[in-house]
Structure formats: structure tokens, C-alpha cells
């Protein structure tokens, strides 16, 4: 491959009320507000050395405008553009200056219909990792991954591995031998993106990295004390898959945020992807806890990069597995 | 009062398979086995300086033989005996030597029918608090409290406060103004015993103190890795009531154990008991999580101190409150 | 005894610059400011249900005005007054209204010269234990103990046990069989007050209770990020004696504050005080770390309750023990 | 570059008494013993999926035989061999089968004289990350880095970046503008290797990754309870440089082990190396604590790959900086 995707880097979420979002993301979760204007809030974690990893954009309807990946250089953008165009995916350029604090960007709806964005440059900012006096709430560190529901996981799994250079760390398969879900990475931990069989394309959640398990517990305490108890959808608990400690939250617009801490190093090319049986109750929550229905059924819609309209969703290709522990 | 009840001190549980219990309590939860014989295992926590706080006794049916309280001296036992006899509760003496490692003991079924035991002496043993090389699993510290389902909470609440010298730290009441549940203490934390309205007399759970929140999380991890995932009934989570971090487990016989950490100091006579509304969803789990049905419906039967037969149970006096967050 | 001392309850410290103190105690350590005026700041921890546990009072010279204990009732004050007067210690009454937020108070310089204060009433305030949104810095919970340097530990040890009803949890003795240091409690943990052989009477430190070990570590991080690195005098580490996790800080006036977490329950009258050899390197820091010279040599002067002048100090009665690990 | 060094992967340490080492590394630190014979113990962490990351080899004198790096494939070994030979460094091949559990290996003393080893293959083993029932002591996770004292840091810094493809995350420089120390990585965290100005070539320490801060604290407690208090050389504390939480230990042969947790992601090519002034007291320990003399002066000798003799050491090229916080 003549390009290098570094990592998942930012998301642009449409939200209805910036003040409600600010309270949730900053006061409760401890994000740092790098900048904002009447229509946007730019947020980053304490470890991040670039301008933001989350853009909240005022809109009439909650939706996902873009899932952004950082690449090594602007040349990589050209190579990616050629790749997508050759395969029949129309691309769109946003020249430098068009988006705040970000260099030239390439957008494309991928084979599942997810609105991707690639860019090499973002304005540097002060990294606040050692400004412990600013630590609040969740002690938010950095963006970690996207998790998406798609109708055809195997197609996404192939596309990302063969064309985009992702590697698989773990996957779930069915008794019929189909890949139900897959965790794919560019940076050296469990994932930058995961795909799960289901109605889609939709964004199931954005994962953010926290420094330790107690920060997740404290997040629950803080949310409850602020009246956000209902924002806690699932967890805290231990994932079987990834071994991370997790907590799923719903923001004021219903976007799902995962707080995530402590997976493992995936640097080795001879690491054999870990297979999980879809009927293994320890796969999702290692302790065997079931997830609520909303976690299975609800997710954020995504937008077409050209029309700005919601991308039409299709049901998951694989037959729905029950009982309780099916993703 | 001419006696001084120090604290909840030990429980005697009937279990069907000592080996199954040993694996659960020692290998998974990290209890220290002080001693055992063919019919008993005597367990203690790392902080405890007396012989045991839990006796597992081989039997055909799981049940609770006694809930033991430590008193200041053997004179206190005489005073307690007089009190109960005067009030019409027949008592029974177990002279020193009759029970292993324990001095003279007084037994009585209390006004709810719970089989109480009082004693002043127990053999001292080496305290292992600083033997960190022996810390395993949950890092079990010490016994903390009993929680009992009784048909008439208000009667129990009155009896323990007026006659036995307990103080109330927190309580739940209903819209009708009845006390639904009460947390009562002799030692200076939230409780030595709690009573909840419901089918009873039954032991709902025994609470054991752990040193920190991460020990509860690690317990879940250890249990899951040993195949005990189903033993995790509820939690981990934060109690609204007591502010403790909690985890509820079911042992191989179905007895419920609570791991409990981090309530608060109740030394002050002017501390005003905290009132919780039964319909406040933060009361049980501060984060708003619901408890499973089994947690509401299942509990351990208790035995008559004379006959050794199960004490007949009656339903809770107060009308059952729904929705989800009752009790 | 016809009185009941509940616990160590508040200290009054003279400080030179209230703004400097505010920044240290509130911004860094996370104390709650209940109230303040031109000459005082009243601080409390998150768990405390009464007005304050620390009074910072503007003065020209740093000093300790009073070490306050809470008693059960105002009748207890009378009994204490009689006790001290009979033994030849002049007492002083501060009637209700004379001190902000506190009821009638009795002051006396004890047999070591330490300025004690006893009171039964303090204004109740909202307890913020479950206001997790207000947790900052150290997550300060509550006052725990006083530690004092005195010339004659054995005299203090006897006075507090025989006359004031304290119990000993742990003590250090010398090869000559003298008590070098003693930890004495009324509430049910390791101490409300400790005495150490040395130049005195002086206040070595005030101990405050934190919820867990990570709060002490985070305190170091926060202090360092605020430029307070030099305020960290010793630790974090594990005490052999008490088993608590500790951190010693020096406030802007040089007063020493200990952050302290996780000792053990001392409810039982048959608990045998733990003896430590003064030459055991694990006694102070269980891990064997040495303390800096300043920790041994420096402490806060205390004031005469009548004159307000510094109480004259005398050297410790026992010969100074070396090497490194002598208190 | 026509090769890809993945990460620091194993060390071979000569030790005098395998039983003494076993007790320290396994009983206290919680390493997993994969295998052993009369002359070797092969150890791995709970996360590791290959045979070992530490080989303890019985010998008369403590020393470092090899610092091993994993590469992508056996072809990479050929390319590395050519590189070193071309630059005048004699190399040595250890064919597959020559060393237990490891494939073909290339050894070379690098430009500082450090005995490097490169290999692509190691026998896979069961990863025990989710066998929480086996977690003991430190909960050892995986090898993280080597730290070496060398006479000419700038030469090492150049060689590893220009010839071996390492990137610099952080560095220390002197008032004269010389690089005093440098942290270099291949995998995406702060380092696989660091070089510090000083007597060398020597191995200052091997860093192992732990899951969280409390595991370091528990390590101190466990070591102390086993009589290993003197093995704790420095810490626990927070590094300014790397932001990791650290603890330095000395094994029974004096080899220094660092327990290390929580640095940050270094995936981005535009991450600007962080510069630290050698006179900044927060550089080493963020909290300002000084390190003991032994930490500055003592380190493990390394062996010549051909002769097996100790590589002759030279003093650091840069003039020694004082005061306390040098290196």
C-alpha cells in the first residue's frame, strides 16, 4: 500500500443543543474545550496534542457527519483517493481552510456507506497530560475507536484489511461459520474500528480511552450526582472481547459513548486473531452480565458525504442470533 | 443498658458440600481457612484477630443456624439473657467448650424469629493484615453486617434500638410513612444489621468488608475466570444508601454474600438518620441500575435455636411496592 | 467516667496568608469552604455533616490555637472541667456565640501543654459525600487524628487512658522498655491522637482521611502540576504502624498535614495493642523507606489557652534513638 | 529501511542462584514460569502470547547476555546483518534450535557495545491475560523497554534513529545543548529503549508493564511482607518524563527491574519529541523526589557476543551534572 492510515482521529457529531452537550461532555466527562463558536464545540482529551478529537456541530437532527482517520502525509490522501475512485467510490475533497484547524481532507462513503474522512494535518495544541490540576470527571484521555453496525460485516472486514491495511485482533463468528463482528486496528491496540452485524450503516459508539478503571466508576458517580443517571446505559464491566474495562453512555442526543480502558498491545504480526463464539456469554461482558435491548437496537444514523442526507439503512445480512448474549 | 453489644461477629451457615464451598470462599474470595474438620470450615478475613467470622457446617439443606454478635464480657451475656427472658423470648446457653474456639454463648430467636447468638470470647489468632503475600482473590478483610428480610420492619427497628442499643444510620420509608427498611449499627459504620420488609425471617445476605473498589472488580474477574460467572448476581455498583461500593454473589448453596467497601463514620450521637424515599431510583444503586428479581425474591432460611427446624416465614407486612426499584 | 469523648473533631491553625492557604487547601486538597470572613476560613471534608473540621485563622505567626474534641453532650463538658480542675489544670470556658458555628467550649492545656478544646455542638451543614460533581484534588473526606510531639510520652499515654478514656491500638517501645510513641483512640479506628517522644509540646501533624490510595497519588500529581512539589515532604507509602497508606504535606505556613487512608477497625475491647520495636525499619514505612530529617525535626508550635503565647518546649525525655528509622 | 523492528522482546540475564530468582520473580512479582531446566528459567507476563520475555540463566557472575528485539520476519534478519556488517560491526548467527523456543537469531554488539539480539520467531504459548485466577503479586503484564547507560548518548541516538528506524519521544538536554538522555521507540508507546549518559555500556534496567498504579503499590506491600524491603530502590512515583507511574527494584543479583504503567500513545509521525531540561526537578520524578545514589551509580555489566567477557566500560562523555536531579 502506498499510504499509511495512522489511527482513528476524530468524529463530527450533529447535536441539537450545544449547551446541553457542553454540560455533558465537559462538566461530566472532563473533555477539554479547545475552542468553540456559535455552531461548533471542539473537544479533546488530556493526552491529545492536536486540536480536537470530537466536533459537536449544531443541527436539527442528531447524526454522524464524518468518522475521521489521520494518515501520515498529504500524499497518502492522493493515494487513498485513487484507491476509492478506482473501486467506484466517489470522493470529495475539502481543501485546507474549509474546515477549522484541519488540513486538506478527503471524504468518502465506504463500502458499507459509512462517511469516512482522511486527513494528515491538524493544528497542534498544548498537551495537558500533566496538567493534573485540570483533571475532572472521567479524566478523558484520547479517542480510541469507532464501532459501527453494518449489514455485511464480512464485506467490511475484507475491505478494511485488503484495501486499507487494517489487521484483525479479535472476531466473533457464528455456528454457521460467518463473521458476526470484527475488531480491526491500525494503531497498536485492539481496534480503531469494529464492525457488528446489524441494521446499518450506523455508528454504534465512539470509544474514548480513560487512564484506569476507577475513572469509569467515578464517572458513574459524577453522572448520577449531576442527574445523568439515565445516561448510563451499560456497565461498568469487563469485556471478554478486548479485555478492556468499559462503560457505555448516551449523550443528550442519544449518541453512544464508550469509556474504555486497558486493552493490550497488538504490535506483533504473528499475533493470531482471537476467535469468540457468538454464544459465549463471556464474550461481551466477561462476567456474564447481559446488555439492555437499547444497546442492541439503537445507534446513530450517518450522512451521505455529498447530499448530507441520512444514508439508507439495511438490516444485517446474518440471521439474528439469540439468546440474551447476541450482539 | 447493662450490656454492650460490640458488633456483628460471625455467621454459621449450613452448606451441602464443604469442598465446593472451600473452592468458592477460599480460592475465589480469598478467605483465610483458620481450621477445619470433617463437618466444618472456619474462615476469617485478613484483618480479623479472632478465630473466624464464618462457619460453614456440613448439612443436608442450606440454612442459617446463627447470626452471632460479640459483646464486651460474659456478664453482658447474663444481662442479655435476662432481657430476652423478661420479654418472653426463651434463651439457650451453649457453655464454653461446646462450640469450637468460642466461649460461652447465648442463643435466642429474636422478635422476628432470627436465630441470634451472643458471645464475649473467641480464640485469638494471628492477624494477617500485613501478610500481603497471602492476599488472594477479593482480599477479604472482615465481616461487616447481616441483612435480613422480616415481615415487620418497624417492630425489629424498635426492638433493636430500644432494647439492644442499636442506632439508625439510614432508612427507607414509604409514601404511607411506614419504615420499609432500616440500617442499624453498634460499631461506628453504617450497619451491623439491616432489616428489609419482605418474606421472613430470612437472611438476605452477609456483608464482608473489602479494602477498596478495585478488589470488587477483581473479584468479578477472578470469579469469571474460574467459571463462577453465574455467581455474580448484582453489581458492582455504588449504593445510594450507605454510599458503599457493592457486589452481590451467590455461594454454591445459594447463600448471598455482599462484598462491601467504603461507607462512612457514624460515631456522632447527633448524626441524623438519612431518609430515603422508596421510589428514589438512586437509593439502591446510586447510578440507577435495577436489581434482578432473584435479589428481591430469594434469601436463606433460618433455623429455630431449639428444634433446628426452619422458622416459619410470613409475608412482609407492608404492601409490595413497585416499580423496579422497590427494596 | 461520666463523660464520653467522641472523636478528634477540629483544629484551629494560625496562618499568615489566607489566600495562600485557600489555594492550597481548597484548590489542591479539595477541602470544602463552608464559610469565611476577613480573618477565618472554615473548611470541611466531603463526608462531614458539621460546619468545619479545620479553621484557618489569620495571624502574624503560624501556630496551633486549639486541638478540638467532640463530646456527647454539654453535660460532658462540665464533667471534663471538674476532672481537669481537680487535677490542677486551669480551664477556660468559651460560651456559645463566642466562636462561630460552635457551641459552648472548654479549653485546657493538658499535661503535656497541648491546647485542648472540648465541645458538644457544631452547626449542621449539608453532607456532600454523594456530590461527586464537587470532588476535586485529594477528595478530602474527614478529619482523622492529631499527632503530637511531647517530652514525656508515657505521662501523656497514662493521662489519656486513665483520665480521658482513650484506648491504645499500637505503640513503639525502646530496647530499655520505654514507650517511645503511642496511638490512642476514642472512635473505632487506629487513633484520634498519637504521641511521639520529642521536643514539645508541638503538633507534628493533623491527619485527614481520604477514600482510597489513588487519591493520595493524584494529590501528588495535582500538587506537582500546581507548582507545589516542595510541599510533598514524605510518601506516599504504607505505614507499618496502622497499616494506613500515607502522604505528608507541608502547608504554606509549614503546618504538616497527613493524608491517610485505610487503617482498620478497633471496636473490640479484647484487641491487644500492637507493639513495634523502635529499631524495626518496617514500623514507620512498611516498605523500609527512610523519612527526611525535616519530618523528625520540624513541627508546629502550640499556644497557651490564656496568654495566647507559645507554650515553652522541652526536649524529649527518652534518649534520641538512631539510626535512620527512629521517629 | 528493508527491515522492521517490532519491539523490545526479551532479555537474557545471568544470575547466580535460580531458586533465589524464582522466589523473587514468580512469588513476589507474579511472572509466569513457562518452562525451566537446570540452568534456565523462562518467564513471561500475563499478556504475552510468546514463550518468554525474560531468561534467567545460571552463571557465576551476574551479567547481561543479550537484549532481544523482535523483527517482522527472518528476511529482516538478513537485512539487519548486512547493515551491521557494512558498518563494521561483526555479527553472529544462532541458528534455529540453538536457543530454546526461539527461531534463528542474529547477535551484534552495537555502537555502544550493547549485546543486541534480533529474532522473528518465538514459540507461541497460551496468553493468560484473562486467567485472573492466576494473577499474583505485581500482576506482571509484559516487557516494555530497556534502559542503558552509554558513554556517548548522541551517537546511540543517531544510530538507532538513522539506521534502525527508532523515533524519539522525549529527551533531556544540558545547558550546553547536548543530549543527555533519549527515549526511543518502535512500538507505539514512549520507548523500547532509552539511553542515558554515564559509565557504560551497561544495562540500567529492564522495564515491565503493569496494568495499573495499585499493582505497583501492592508490589511494595508484597515485597515488604516477604522480607524484600531492601529490594525497593526507588519509588513508587510518577515520572515527569513519560508520565508513567514507576517503581524500581533490585533483583537478588542486583539487576534493576522497573515496574512501569501508564505512559501514552506515540503513533503520530507529527508528534514533536518532548524536551526536558536536565535541571528540571520534575523531569525524573514529577513530584520532585530525589533518587538514591545507587540508582545513579549502579547498573548491570553486559557481555561481548563472541568472547562472553564483560564489555569494557568507559565513563560518560558529558560532564557530570549536579545537583541531585542529574540523569
Amino acid at each position: 500500500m502506498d499510504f499509511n492510515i495512522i489511527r482513528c482521529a476524530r468524529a463530527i457529531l450533529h447535536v441539537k443543543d450545544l449547551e446541553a452537550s457542553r454540560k455533558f461532555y465537559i462538566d461530566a466527562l472532563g473533555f477539554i474545550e479547545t475552542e468553540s463558536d456559535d455552531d461548533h464545540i471542539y473537544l479533546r482529551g488530556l493526552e491529545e496534542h492536536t486540536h480536537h478529537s470530537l466536533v459537536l456541530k449544531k443541527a436539527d437532527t442528531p447524526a454522524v457527519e464524518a468518522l475521521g482517520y489521520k494518515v501520515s502525509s498529504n500524499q497518502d490522501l492522493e493515494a487513498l483517493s485513487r484507491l476509492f475512485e478506482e473501486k467506484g467510490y466517489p470522493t470529495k475533497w475539502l481543501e485546507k481552510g474549509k474546515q477549522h484547524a484541519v488540513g486538506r481532507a478527503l471524504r468518502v462513503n465506504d463500502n458499507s456507506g459509512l462517511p469516512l474522512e482522511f486527513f494528515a494535518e491538524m493544528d497542534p495544541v498544548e498537551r495537558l497530560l500533566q496538567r493534573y490540576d485540570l483533571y475532572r470527571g472521567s479524566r478523558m484521555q484520547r479517542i480510541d475507536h469507532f464501532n459501527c453496525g453494518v449489514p455485511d460485516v464480512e464485506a467490511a472486514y475484507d475491505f478494511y484489511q485488503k484495501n486499507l491495511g487494517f489487521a484483525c485482533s479479535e472476531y466473533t463468528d457464528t455456528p454457521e461459520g460467518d463473521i458476526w463482528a470484527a475488531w480491526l486496528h491500525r494503531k497498536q491496540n485492539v481496534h480503531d474500528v469494529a464492525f457488528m452485524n446489524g441494521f446499518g450503516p450506523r455508528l454504534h459508539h465512539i470509544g474514548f480511552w480513560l487512564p484506569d478503571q476507577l475513572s469509569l466508576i467515578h464517572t458513574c458517580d459524577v453522572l448520577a450526582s449531576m442527574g445523568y443517571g439515565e445516561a448510563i446505559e451499560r456497565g461498568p464491566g469487563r469485556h471478554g472481547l478486548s479485555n478492556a474495562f468499559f462503560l457505555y453512555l448516551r449523550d443528550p442526543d442519544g449518541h453512544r459513548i464508550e469509556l474504555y480502558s486497558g486493552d493490550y498491545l497488538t504490535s506483533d504480526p504473528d499475533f493470531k486473531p482471537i476467535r469468540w463464539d457468538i454464544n459465549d456469554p463471556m464474550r461481551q461482558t466477561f462476567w456474564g452480565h447481559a446488555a439492555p435491548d437499547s444497546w442492541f437496537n439503537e445507534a446513530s444514523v450517518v450522512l451521505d458525504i455529498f447530499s448530507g442526507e441520512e444514508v439508507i439503512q439495511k438490516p444485517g445480512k446474518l440471521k439474528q442470533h439469540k439468546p440474551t448474549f447476541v450482539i
Side-chain angles (χ1 to χ4, degrees), chain A residues 29-306:
Chain A
L29 301 193
F31 273 94
I32 301 296
E33 181 171 334
T34 303
E35 253 183 285
S36 58
D37 59 30
D38 285 353
D39 295 319
H40 305 81
I41 301 176
Y42 298 90
L43 300 172
R44 72 184 196 276
L46 294 156
E47 182 184 321
E48 291 174 321
H49 55 97
T50 49
H51 190 272
H52 62 267
S53 55
L54 185 59
V55 184
L56 304 174
K57 196 166 165 178
K58 191 166 167 43
D60 292 334
T61 319
V64 180
E65 180 180 319
L67 303 174
Y69 291 90
K70 186 173 186 174
V71 299
S72 278
S73 72
N74 282 327
Q75 285 69 41
D76 295 9
L77 299 179
E78 300 287 351
L80 275 160
S81 170
R82 280 193 302 273
L83 170 80
F84 279 107
E85 293 286 347
E86 277 166 18
K87 298 204 170 285
Y89 299 97
T91 63
K92 175 177 167 183
W93 288 100
L94 295 171
E95 296 305 324
K96 186 165 182 170
K98 180 88 189 200
Q99 296 190 92
H100 184 58
V102 173
R104 197 186 188 207
L106 175 72
R107 290 204 180 168
V108 63
N109 284 98
D110 75 2
N111 65 320
S112 305
L114 294 163
L116 307 188
E117 179 187 60
F118 299 93
F119 61 87
E121 298 170 13
M122 186 183 277
D123 290 355
V125 292
E126 187 189 355
R127 202 177 63 143
L128 301 174
L129 186 58
Q130 297 188 323
R131 286 293 307 276
Y132 290 101
D133 51 323
L134 302 179
Y135 279 42
R136 291 287 180 273
S138 304
R139 302 180 176 182
M140 189 60 59
Q141 295 285 115
R142 63 172 184 264
I143 195 168
D144 186 76
H145 63 263
F146 305 126
N147 185 305
C148 305
V150 296
D152 188 341
V153 168
E154 213 143 321
Y157 171 85
D158 285 342
F159 192 92
Y160 276 66
Q161 289 197 91
K162 289 179 192 155
N163 297 315
L164 301 179
F166 283 69
C168 179
S169 56
E170 310 204 17
Y171 67 102
T172 302
D173 73 4
T174 67
E176 297 82 29
D178 297 311
I179 294 179
W180 178 269
W183 281 254
L184 304 174
H185 69 94
R186 283 294 308 167
K187 69 179 176 326
Q188 294 175 345
N189 73 338
V190 169
H191 57 324
D192 289 278
V193 67
F195 297 108
M196 307 196 300
N197 180 70
F199 226 74
R202 295 193 298 182
L203 175 70
H204 189 270
H205 65 261
I206 310 173
F208 287 92
W209 184 271
L210 295 203
D212 53 36
Q213 299 176 4
L214 288 187
S215 296
L216 280 82
I217 291 168
H218 188 59
T219 300
C220 293
D221 288 333
V222 171
L223 286 169
S225 68
M226 291 176 72
Y228 279 125
E230 293 189 7
I232 304 173
E233 186 185 41
R234 180 182 164 202
R238 168 85 60 198
H239 280 310
L241 210 149
S242 82
N243 199 46
F245 200 67
F246 70 86
L247 177 70
Y248 290 99
L249 307 176
R250 302 298 290 272
D251 86 354
D253 289 273
H255 297 303
R256 187 180 287 105
I257 299 297
E258 181 183 18
L259 308 188
Y260 181 94
S261 183
D263 59 5
Y264 55 86
L265 182 69
T266 57
S267 59
D268 291 11
D270 61 358
F271 182 79
K272 205 169 168 273
I274 298 173
R275 179 195 171 278
W276 291 83
D277 187 306
I278 198 169
N279 291 314
D280 183 345
M282 297 169 82
R283 180 176 57 91
Q284 281 209 48
T285 302
F286 189 61
W287 309 336
H289 292 45
D293 287 345
S294 63
W295 194 91
F296 292 109
N297 299 331
E298 300 173 12
S300 295
V301 300
V302 302
L303 303 184
D304 185 277
I305 59 159
F306 292 104

